[in-house]
Amino acid sequence: MYWTGLSPDEARKHLANKDKSKRDKRMSLKEAVQKYVKDGDNIGVGGFVDCRQPMAIIHEIIRQGRKDLTLTFPSEGLSVEYLAGAMALDENHLNIKRLELAYWAHEAFGISPLFRYLAENGKIEIEDWSNANMSARLKAGAMGIPFIPYRSPMGSDLVKTNRSKVIDCPFTGKPVLLLPAAHPNVAIIHVQEADMYGNCRIQGPTFVCPETSMASAYTIVTCDRLIEHEEMTRYPNRISIPYFSVDAVVEVPFGAYPGNTHGIHYFDEKHIVEFRTACDKLRKGDSGPLKEYYDNYIYGVEDFGEFISKIPYKQLQHIQKIESGIRLEAGYTAL
Amino acid sequence: MYWTGLSPDEARKHLANKDKSKRDKRMSLKEAVQKYVKDGDNIGVGGFVDCRQPMAIIHEIIRQGRKDLTLTFPSEGLSVEYLAGAMALDENHLNIKRLELAYWAHEAFGISPLFRYLAENGKIEIEDWSNANMSARLKAGAMGIPFIPYRSPMGSDLVKTNRSKVIDCPFTGKPVLLLPAAHPNVAIIHVQEADMYGNCRIQGPTFVCPETSMASAYTIVTCDRLIEHEEMTRYPNRISIPYFSVDAVVEVPFGAYPGNTHGIHYFDEKHIVEFRTACDKLRKGDSGPLKEYYDNYIYGVEDFGEFISKIPYKQLQHIQKIESGIRLEAGYTAL
Amino acid sequence: MTKKYASDYTAQEMIVVAGARTLEDNKVVFAGTGLPMVAITLAQLTHGPGIVPVFEGGAVGPKLSRGLPLSVGGSRTTYRANYLLGLNAAFELTQRGFCDYGFIGGAQIDPYGNLNSTMMGDFPENYQNPKVRLPGSGGASDMACSCERTIIIMVHEPRRFVEKLDYLTSPGYLDGSPNAREKAGIVGQGPYRVITTKAILGFDDETKRMKLIATLPGETVESVQKATGFELIIPDDVYEFEPPTEEEIRLIREVIDPQGYFVAKKIKE
Amino acid sequence: MTKKYASDYTAQEMIVVAGARTLEDNKVVFAGTGLPMVAITLAQLTHGPGIVPVFEGGAVGPKLSRGLPLSVGGSRTTYRANYLLGLNAAFELTQRGFCDYGFIGGAQIDPYGNLNSTMMGDFPENYQNPKVRLPGSGGASDMACSCERTIIIMVHEPRRFVEKLDYLTSPGYLDGSPNAREKAGIVGQGPYRVITTKAILGFDDETKRMKLIATLPGETVESVQKATGFELIIPDDVYEFEPPTEEEIRLIREVIDPQGYFVAKKIKE
């Protein structure tokens, strides 16, 4: 059995030797990506489809360029589409070597043009899993166990090509699926609120973000709002990721734009369609619009803030206004 | 392999056939115990040592009497001590057949006289596990998987007598412990706040209460405060046990007395010592004080409210006053 | 109140209506993305106010009164939810037995209700460079295994109803042999209904092959069979499905999906 | 500031002081109930304000300024915690590698640092009716396995320091053979220190047998060996442990455990 990212023993050893002290982990995104994202890394991508996507971190990875990446996630949309776009434009600057995934598309915003492009041209190695399986693999990693049993999806073709194993349960005698733990080298996660030590308070669905962080060797967190530590620890039951699982904290308002960040802003459908249309054109042979998009919005700017400043203010206001629950009091989810 | 409580397949079938509708589940504790606690049952006991113990439910089980009980829990104190006291006084009225546990004592309040009494006289069947193992067994039950791997405590004598199995991990080749899932027939749990449908909001440590409820065929919940459903669902991220896992909801203020209920009241050391001293006397041959205690506080009253009304009001006020965080706003844990 | 039937509706709207009517009140329904979300909302607004939706993002039992969610992880799935964690919690609930129905779709279906949403082409030969790469399982294969029963929504075309799938993503009755699911270790009972743009279908108790239950308005047994790439079991009691009512169509168009995200597939291609 | 040593202290107070001094600042420490909680609090109040306590009830990294917890699940463990779930979360953190030290006790210890907190009597013959039944493992066996290192606190008596345990609850170096822990599948490195009422002990790198590191004030190598039911390794560099300072004793008596719950064992028998 081969491991991508870290093996369970490597992951344990790495963490046991790590400094877990409570210290100021704020830094620039540029520094965080330089420090914690390496060529050849297995990246655990936080969020879900087009929700709470770690877009600012993705932009920075694209700007810096990285090679031979493995991406680990249950279901993603925008984050991986942006990485794929960079790869489609210049494989020498950034390339994805391998995917361990359950789903890559955009739900209401359609399928993924660039997943089709990369897969149908044989440009990436794919390992298909189910959402429950990928989530459980990261959970097993976070729990420190080398594998976890599951009761789906035996009988499917997924289990024929991925690294799961069907065994007879030693207690019931019935078939059960064993899933190897996942330990990415680095988790990239956007949350609504974090403190300077790395404690995170996620509003709405947590997706698999806490598990991904705790399974990974390093975690980079961006947050819409950096809040005071004293405010964070008033509500210990609401801390979703504890500080000692986080290595870098960067405050990036709109850090998941143009996706949806629960309680902060809704999808920017206009921008998503603009980007996705350019991706679709590339798949059909015209890379011009996508190149223009990247030159304008990613390569042509210093940081994510400069990208956001290129979005009309009214459009940003609009997606804040149509978000169901704008209040972010602790415990509040949607009002 | 034998199963106590339900086997994984029985547990799945039972739940699949169960009515999961959102309906008023309030009833008297008398009715709840009559309906959901049977002779021969495996009872999943909520709480931890002397904290958030389901004391009101325990009193009612003792009043009604039950035979051949199996008790499943990581660490308990008062709840099981009270059951053991009833057994020590009259095995024909109530008896514990079997324990699946990690720890039975009272931490700062000393060891358990009645665990010693029952065990040293060979009156119960014991299966020793670790806290992590019992917690993980209930978690596996809640997750719907027949077993869960763990990395402790191999090498101990615990794994020689309990039903765990050591195998070579099919992925790493290294030894790993497999723990069979636990599916009690009924979970008994005290929480700070619940709504009439059974949604529970636990303050402070959740212990293994959510897992125990979701692993069990039925769940009886008592709460210090019954709150409105609309208030509960304002904070969905804070719901610890979802309503469809709960079968009976009973509002019982001081329902974990004389133990500690986080945010509500502290331990009543005076009463705990009174009770424990009577238990200790029984172990040493004098059952008189314990009989008197039970006649006065349990058999001599209609319900838990009558028991509480026998405690001096000043004593109740005192344990409320010395509790660290008296505010129970959602999200607040300790102020 | 006399029912007024709608005179004008699309195939997708018909699917949504049929899907909604299939759901019982007070059941827990794990909702796949797209049309299933629309159908559940319609059922909640008509005969099933007690339906409890589960979204794989993590929201359980929310009110869907904030507008149609564009994602099963979106912020419109959480309003007044009765539990709200993440993917692991949602799928574990399902595996444990809390979900009565799963509501899923696929690109291909076979006679035993197995679904493909992964790839077109030769498997395993061309798995790493398929003819068409689809989004992948997502949670569909888990729902198909572990919800007690599954309801499948499909566009009814011969190329989608095939004797053999290119890739089996979501298990139905597998090869149809007795207890095939149980023998594979799967816990749920399997496909209950297939709701298509042309018919309502079920499965034969014994052979587990797909059978016709009802034809949708405008369709016949023959037209349904013709649109199916394998032979359907046609029982004697096939009936015509009741057309959508004006009220159902109004709810879909005006209340549930006025912008046509899923029902008109405005953005999706 | 010149240190003033306390002239009057109990064996338990000495244990607490030695335990506290053994802890490094900024480390994550999984705290067993009783004396470990007192020692951690003392360390936080002296040289280790950055120590992060983990309680198995579920509280991680709280401030211990609300008074000494009477239970590792009690409400005094949660004030300003940095994570607060339940037992599973606490033990998973440990298994994963987040806990630098585990701090545990036992009724018996053997030369390899294995502990018994389950029963006295013949095992397995009298497992179901032991001579003395102890509380059981609790989380101690998990901490002993999965914290990176363990610190053990013991009352130093010959009947507690035995060549062979009645029952092995919490693994130390098992039989002392090379890589015995790793071969058993255990992830943590094992016992680091044994702090007793008479001495500070460690383990020989090669044989994994217990060795004397320091004698506590008033004790000698001979008195320690005499109180030990097996032969200790006595290196040349055994030293005398620095006595408790007045300040340390004051903190224990006046600030940390003024009512003597754990240090004076007022209630415990």
Side-chain angles (χ1 to χ4, degrees):
Chain A
M1 158 83 196
Y2 64 96
W3 298 93
T4 64
L6 284 71
S7 75
D9 282 343
E10 288 165 351
R12 159 81 196 194
K13 198 158 293 175
H14 173 86
L15 184 50
N17 293 330
K18 214 170 153 178
D19 174 9
K20 291 146 205 127
S21 66
K22 197 191 269 186
R23 58 195 191 277
D24 188 350
K25 293 169 188 158
R26 288 172 297 176
M27 60 185 80
S28 73
L29 206 38
K30 199 169 172 180
E31 188 189 344
V33 169
Q34 274 167 350
K35 224 167 152 175
Y36 297 115
V37 184
K38 307 284 179 206
D39 284 350
D41 268 3
N42 179 330
I43 303 181
V45 189
F48 178 84
V49 191
D50 291 345
C51 303
R52 215 155 39 65
Q53 293 281 279
M55 294 314 302
I57 309 174
I58 290 285
H59 277 228
E60 186 56 35
I61 293 172
I62 292 171
R63 255 189 302 276
Q64 295 189 17
R66 286 293 184 278
K67 300 289 188 57
D68 299 324
L69 301 175
T70 291
L71 306 179
T72 290
F73 58 86
S75 290
E76 295 287 320
L78 290 167
S79 55
V80 290
E81 200 82 29
Y82 274 78
L83 285 178
M87 177 176 176
L89 292 172
D90 182 1
E91 290 184 35
N92 291 319
H93 178 66
L94 185 146
N95 78 295
I96 306 164
K97 192 184 78 182
R98 177 182 167 84
L99 294 171
E100 303 182 15
L101 87 168
Y103 173 97
W104 175 354
H106 305 279
E107 297 187 72
F109 305 110
I111 61 143
S112 160
L114 297 180
F115 184 28
R116 283 196 64 179
Y117 168 79
L118 296 178
E120 292 166 17
N121 291 294
K123 287 180 178 290
I124 35 170
E125 200 180 299
I126 303 175
E127 189 179 37
D128 274 286
W129 300 83
S130 71
N131 262 346
N133 285 183
M134 282 307 298
S135 305
R137 290 187 60 212
L138 289 158
K139 178 171 180 156
M143 290 172 69
I145 51 179
F147 68 92
I148 194 161
Y150 227 81
R151 305 207 64 174
S152 65
M154 288 92 86
S156 75
D157 283 336
L158 289 104
V159 305
K160 287 185 189 162
T161 48
N162 66 31
R163 286 165 292 161
S164 66
K165 289 178 198 286
V166 179
I167 63 154
D168 285 337
C169 167
F171 299 99
T172 65
K174 300 198 174 169
V176 65
L177 192 66
L178 306 187
L179 311 168
H183 289 288
N185 298 94
V186 59
I188 57 172
I189 292 169
H190 182 74
V191 302
Q192 290 90 347
E193 297 170 310
D195 68 19
M196 63 189 269
Y197 304 115
N199 285 309
C200 299
R201 188 156 72 196
I202 296 175
Q203 304 284 349
T206 58
F207 306 137
V208 200
C209 294
E211 295 93 326
T212 305
S213 167
M214 296 179 84
S216 298
Y218 297 104
T219 296
I220 302 173
V221 160
T222 54
C223 57
D224 274 276
R225 300 182 193 173
L226 196 77
I227 64 171
E228 289 191 4
H229 178 61
E230 293 300 290
E231 166 62 19
M232 179 67 75
T233 55
R234 270 175 72 112
Y235 312 95
N237 282 115
R238 282 288 288 110
I239 295 176
S240 315
I241 305 176
Y243 72 84
F244 49 48
S245 185
V246 172
D247 299 277
V249 181
V250 193
E251 187 178 42
V252 186
F254 292 100
Y257 177 89
N260 169 215
T261 298
H262 197 284
I264 304 271
H265 60 79
Y266 207 54
F267 302 99
D268 186 342
E269 295 177 36
K270 214 174 132 188
H271 196 89
I272 292 174
V273 171
E274 177 189 344
F275 169 67
R276 195 185 163 286
T277 304
C279 293
D280 212 37
K281 283 188 176 146
L282 183 139
R283 182 175 79 84
K284 286 164 181 162
D286 175 11
S287 64
L290 196 66
K291 187 172 182 316
E292 199 181 319
Y293 182 97
Y294 277 67
D295 286 344
N296 184 22
Y297 288 129
I298 301 179
Y299 296 121
V301 299
E302 245 327 280
D303 60 21
F304 198 76
E306 263 190 47
F307 161 59
I308 291 297
S309 71
K310 292 191 170 216
I311 311 302
Y313 177 63
K314 278 205 167 172
Q315 210 164 315
L316 296 176
Q317 251 195 328
H318 173 67
I319 61 170
Q320 287 182 320
K321 221 167 163 181
I322 60 172
E323 172 62 9
S324 309
I326 199 72
R327 285 176 70 182
L328 262 193
E329 289 179 44
Y332 278 79
T333 287
L335 284 176
Chain B
M1 158 81 195
Y2 64 96
W3 298 94
T4 64
L6 285 71
S7 75
D9 283 344
E10 287 165 351
R12 160 80 196 193
K13 199 158 291 173
H14 173 86
L15 183 51
N17 293 329
K18 213 170 153 178
D19 174 9
K20 290 147 207 124
S21 66
K22 196 191 268 186
R23 58 194 191 281
D24 188 349
K25 291 170 188 159
R26 287 172 297 175
M27 60 184 81
S28 72
L29 205 39
K30 200 171 172 177
E31 190 189 344
V33 170
Q34 275 166 353
K35 228 168 149 175
Y36 296 114
V37 184
K38 306 287 181 204
D39 285 351
D41 268 3
N42 180 329
I43 304 181
V45 188
F48 178 83
V49 192
D50 290 345
C51 303
R52 217 157 36 66
Q53 293 280 279
M55 295 313 302
I57 309 175
I58 291 285
H59 277 228
E60 186 55 36
I61 293 173
I62 291 171
R63 256 189 303 275
Q64 294 189 19
R66 286 294 184 278
K67 300 290 187 57
D68 299 324
L69 300 175
T70 292
L71 305 180
T72 290
F73 58 86
S75 289
E76 294 288 321
L78 289 167
S79 55
V80 290
E81 200 83 30
Y82 274 79
L83 285 178
M87 178 175 175
L89 292 172
D90 182 2
E91 288 184 37
N92 291 318
H93 178 65
L94 185 147
N95 78 296
I96 306 162
K97 194 182 77 184
R98 178 181 166 83
L99 295 171
E100 302 181 14
L101 86 167
Y103 173 97
W104 176 353
H106 304 278
E107 298 187 71
F109 305 110
I111 61 144
S112 160
L114 298 179
F115 184 29
R116 284 196 63 177
Y117 168 78
L118 295 178
E120 292 167 17
N121 290 293
K123 286 179 177 293
I124 35 169
E125 201 179 298
I126 303 174
E127 190 179 36
D128 274 285
W129 299 84
S130 72
N131 262 346
N133 285 184
M134 281 308 297
S135 305
R137 292 187 60 212
L138 289 158
K139 178 170 180 158
M143 290 172 69
I145 50 178
F147 68 92
I148 193 160
Y150 227 82
R151 306 206 66 174
S152 65
M154 289 93 86
S156 75
D157 283 336
L158 289 103
V159 305
K160 289 188 187 160
T161 48
N162 66 31
R163 287 166 292 160
S164 66
K165 289 179 200 286
V166 179
I167 63 156
D168 284 338
C169 168
F171 299 98
T172 64
K174 301 201 174 168
V176 64
L177 192 67
L178 306 187
L179 312 168
H183 289 288
N185 298 94
V186 58
I188 58 173
I189 291 169
H190 182 73
V191 301
Q192 288 90 348
E193 298 172 308
D195 69 19
M196 63 189 273
Y197 304 115
N199 286 310
C200 299
R201 186 156 71 196
I202 294 175
Q203 304 284 349
T206 59
F207 305 136
V208 200
C209 293
E211 296 93 325
T212 305
S213 169
M214 297 180 83
S216 298
Y218 297 104
T219 297
I220 302 173
V221 160
T222 54
C223 57
D224 274 277
R225 300 182 192 172
L226 196 75
I227 64 170
E228 289 192 3
H229 178 61
E230 292 300 290
E231 166 63 18
M232 179 67 74
T233 56
R234 272 175 72 111
Y235 311 95
N237 281 115
R238 282 289 287 112
I239 295 177
S240 316
I241 306 176
Y243 71 85
F244 48 49
S245 185
V246 173
D247 298 277
V249 181
V250 193
E251 186 180 44
V252 186
F254 292 101
Y257 177 90
N260 168 217
T261 298
H262 197 283
I264 304 271
H265 60 77
Y266 206 54
F267 301 100
D268 186 341
E269 294 177 36
K270 211 174 135 189
H271 196 90
I272 292 175
V273 171
E274 177 188 345
F275 169 67
R276 196 184 163 285
T277 305
C279 293
D280 211 38
K281 283 189 176 148
L282 183 139
R283 183 176 80 83
K284 287 166 180 161
D286 175 12
S287 63
L290 196 65
K291 186 171 183 317
E292 200 182 318
Y293 182 97
Y294 276 68
D295 286 345
N296 182 24
Y297 288 128
I298 303 179
Y299 295 121
V301 298
E302 247 325 282
D303 60 21
F304 198 77
E306 264 189 45
F307 160 59
I308 292 296
S309 71
K310 290 190 170 213
I311 310 301
Y313 176 64
K314 278 205 163 171
Q315 210 163 317
L316 296 177
Q317 252 194 327
H318 173 68
I319 61 170
Q320 286 181 324
K321 222 166 161 181
I322 59 172
E323 172 62 9
S324 312
I326 200 70
R327 285 176 70 183
L328 263 193
E329 287 179 46
Y332 279 80
T333 286
L335 285 175
Chain C
M1 194 175 89
T2 48
K3 278 185 198 163
K4 282 195 185 162
Y5 293 114
S7 51
D8 152 53
Y9 50 87
T10 66
Q12 278 198 328
E13 285 168 340
M14 182 68 242
I15 269 197
V16 167
V17 168
R21 290 185 192 161
T22 305
L23 293 173
E24 290 167 84
D25 195 15
N26 292 320
K27 294 290 181 183
V28 180
V29 184
F30 199 122
T33 197
L35 293 184
M37 291 197 290
V38 185
I40 289 170
T41 310
L42 179 59
Q44 280 192 325
L45 292 174
T46 52
H47 67 283
I51 287 170
V52 183
V54 174
F55 294 98
E56 61 198 296
V60 174
K63 288 190 183 169
L64 296 177
S65 53
R66 290 284 162 130
L68 185 69
L70 300 187
S71 164
V72 289
S75 44
R76 289 179 184 170
T77 63
T78 66
Y79 180 60
R80 295 220 169 265
N82 286 259
Y83 199 49
L84 183 52
L85 294 169
L87 275 79
N88 274 306
F91 286 112
E92 288 161 13
L93 283 176
T94 311
Q95 188 168 246
R96 176 69 182 88
F98 281 106
C99 293
D100 298 305
Y101 291 101
F103 214 144
I104 58 178
Q108 286 182 326
I109 189 167
D110 77 8
Y112 302 106
N114 302 300
L115 293 166
N116 173 17
S117 53
T118 302
M119 58 161 278
M120 302 295 189
D122 293 327
F123 177 82
E125 296 75 14
N126 294 115
Y127 172 53
Q128 297 293 357
N129 58 332
K131 223 175 95 206
V132 180
R133 175 64 213 203
L134 304 166
S137 161
S141 62
D142 304 305
M143 292 184 234
C145 285
S146 298
C147 291
E148 189 59 4
R149 318 200 80 171
T150 38
I151 299 169
I152 298 164
I153 283 188
M154 294 285 299
V155 175
H156 209 137
E157 299 170 354
R159 68 184 181 106
R160 294 177 182 274
F161 281 68
V162 296
E163 187 64 44
K164 199 179 163 345
L165 302 175
D166 286 19
Y167 182 102
L168 198 170
T169 311
S170 302
Y173 293 107
L174 299 171
D175 64 1
S177 63
N179 305 315
R181 287 173 62 89
E182 202 192 334
K183 282 180 193 160
I186 297 172
V187 289
Q189 298 304 306
Y192 170 61
R193 289 286 180 269
V194 183
I195 294 164
T196 77
T197 39
K198 292 183 182 294
I200 312 290
L201 303 114
F203 295 87
D204 183 67
D205 284 343
E206 207 165 319
T207 65
K208 303 296 181 193
R209 277 187 73 100
M210 205 182 289
K211 70 172 182 190
L212 187 57
I213 292 178
T215 54
L216 297 192
E219 301 292 337
T220 64
V221 169
E222 292 67 34
S223 71
V224 172
Q225 177 61 73
K226 212 181 143 195
T228 309
F230 51 82
E231 206 175 333
L232 290 170
I233 296 174
I234 313 286
D236 294 337
D237 57 354
V238 171
Y239 63 93
E240 276 186 41
F241 197 73
E242 190 186 342
T245 64
E246 281 187 354
E247 176 63 5
E248 286 166 330
I249 297 301
R250 186 191 70 79
L251 286 168
I252 296 170
R253 290 186 190 169
E254 293 175 21
V255 178
I256 304 172
D257 191 12
Q259 282 151 302
Y261 282 108
F262 292 112
V263 180
K265 283 196 169 178
K266 198 183 64 175
I267 293 166
K268 252 183 177 165
E269 61 208 303
Chain D
M1 194 174 90
T2 48
K3 276 186 202 164
K4 281 195 187 162
Y5 292 113
S7 52
D8 152 55
Y9 49 88
T10 66
Q12 278 198 327
E13 285 168 340
M14 184 66 242
I15 270 196
V16 166
V17 168
R21 289 187 192 159
T22 306
L23 292 173
E24 288 168 86
D25 195 14
N26 292 320
K27 294 291 180 181
V28 180
V29 184
F30 199 122
T33 197
L35 293 184
M37 293 196 290
V38 185
I40 290 171
T41 310
L42 179 60
Q44 279 192 327
L45 291 175
T46 53
H47 66 283
I51 288 172
V52 184
V54 173
F55 293 99
E56 61 198 297
V60 174
K63 289 191 184 169
L64 295 177
S65 54
R66 290 284 161 133
L68 184 68
L70 301 187
S71 164
V72 289
S75 43
R76 289 178 184 168
T77 63
T78 66
Y79 179 60
R80 296 220 169 265
N82 286 260
Y83 199 50
L84 182 52
L85 293 169
L87 274 78
N88 275 306
F91 286 111
E92 288 161 13
L93 285 177
T94 311
Q95 190 169 243
R96 176 70 182 86
F98 281 107
C99 294
D100 298 304
Y101 290 101
F103 214 145
I104 58 177
Q108 286 182 326
I109 189 166
D110 76 9
Y112 301 105
N114 302 298
L115 293 167
N116 173 17
S117 54
T118 301
M119 56 163 277
M120 301 298 189
D122 291 328
F123 177 81
E125 297 76 16
N126 294 116
Y127 173 52
Q128 296 295 354
N129 58 331
K131 223 176 96 206
V132 179
R133 175 65 214 202
L134 304 166
S137 160
S141 62
D142 304 305
M143 291 184 234
C145 285
S146 297
C147 291
E148 189 60 5
R149 317 200 81 171
T150 39
I151 298 169
I152 299 165
I153 282 189
M154 293 287 298
V155 174
H156 209 136
E157 300 170 352
R159 67 182 182 106
R160 293 177 183 274
F161 280 67
V162 295
E163 186 64 45
K164 199 182 162 343
L165 302 176
D166 286 20
Y167 181 103
L168 198 170
T169 310
S170 302
Y173 293 107
L174 298 173
D175 64 1
S177 63
N179 304 315
R181 288 173 62 91
E182 202 192 335
K183 282 181 193 160
I186 296 173
V187 289
Q189 298 305 308
Y192 170 61
R193 289 287 180 269
V194 184
I195 294 164
T196 78
T197 38
K198 293 181 181 296
I200 312 289
L201 304 113
F203 295 87
D204 183 68
D205 284 342
E206 206 164 320
T207 64
K208 301 298 180 192
R209 277 187 72 103
M210 204 181 290
K211 69 171 183 192
L212 186 57
I213 292 178
T215 53
L216 296 194
E219 301 292 336
T220 63
V221 169
E222 293 66 36
S223 72
V224 172
Q225 177 61 72
K226 210 181 146 195
T228 308
F230 51 82
E231 206 175 332
L232 290 170
I233 296 174
I234 314 285
D236 292 338
D237 57 353
V238 171
Y239 62 95
E240 273 187 47
F241 198 72
E242 189 186 344
T245 64
E246 278 187 358
E247 176 63 4
E248 285 166 330
I249 296 301
R250 187 191 68 79
L251 286 168
I252 296 172
R253 290 186 191 170
E254 291 174 25
V255 178
I256 304 171
D257 192 12
Q259 281 149 307
Y261 282 109
F262 292 111
V263 179
K265 284 199 170 176
K266 197 181 68 175
I267 293 166
K268 253 183 174 163
E269 60 206 302

